[in-house]
């Protein structure tokens, strides 16, 4: 019987302590406290969604930049491989850049 009374006393003290702590932190009105908790949770959710969206946009931007840089490097490598050094000779025998089928001298 004494144990029951002690456990009841401990529980009631714990409940009162929680109520006092909540009243000090959030105010005396429990309905307003619930409303403020909901608003606070909503604002936190919106902020978290904005952070996640900005991280996704940043990752997309960086991956796009890296892909463009990789394409430029491949184009430079392909153009460097495609350049053939022609021996110096008569420029009239070389193909014209505007008309590749006709030599320059014609």
């Amino acid at each position: 019987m004494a144990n029951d009374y002690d456990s009841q006393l401990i529980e009631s003290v714990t409940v009162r302590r929680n109520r006092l702590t909540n009243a000090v932190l959030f105010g005396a009105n429990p309905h307003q406290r619930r409303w403020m908790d909901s608003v606070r949770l909503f604002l936190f959710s919106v902020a978290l969604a904005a952070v996640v969206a900005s991280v996704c946009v940043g990752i997309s931007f960086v991956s796009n930049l890296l892909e463009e840089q990789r394409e430029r490097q491949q184009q430079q490598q392909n153009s460097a491989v495609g350049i053939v050094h022609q021996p110096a000779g008569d420029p009239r025998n070389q193909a014209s850049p505007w008309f590749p089928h006709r030599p320059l001298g014609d």
Side-chain angles (χ1 to χ4, degrees):
M1 185 85 165
N3 288 338
D4 290 337
Y5 178 73
D6 291 342
S7 63
Q8 282 180 341
L9 182 63
I10 291 172
E11 285 181 31
S12 66
V13 168
T14 304
V15 168
R16 286 183 186 150
R17 186 178 298 146
N18 287 339
R19 286 181 183 167
L20 284 171
T21 303
N22 287 337
V24 167
L25 292 176
F26 303 111
N29 189 354
H31 298 294
Q32 182 183 7
R33 183 172 56 235
R34 279 190 223 132
W35 181 78
M36 288 300 290
D37 288 342
S38 299
V39 170
R40 193 172 291 138
L41 181 63
F42 175 74
L43 292 177
F44 177 73
S45 299
V46 168
L48 183 63
V51 168
V52 168
S54 64
V55 166
C56 290
V57 167
I59 289 173
S60 175
F61 179 73
V62 168
S63 65
N64 189 22
L65 284 178
L66 292 175
E67 184 178 338
E68 287 177 359
Q69 182 181 14
R70 193 175 310 123
E71 287 177 2
R72 274 191 241 122
Q73 286 177 350
Q74 286 178 351
Q75 287 176 354
Q76 288 175 354
Q77 289 175 354
N78 290 343
S79 65
V81 169
I83 295 175
V84 177
H85 180 68
Q86 296 179 353
D90 190 11
R92 289 181 289 153
N93 293 335
Q94 296 177 356
S96 168
W98 295 282
F99 303 102
H101 61 280
R102 294 189 336 199
L104 285 175
D106 290 343

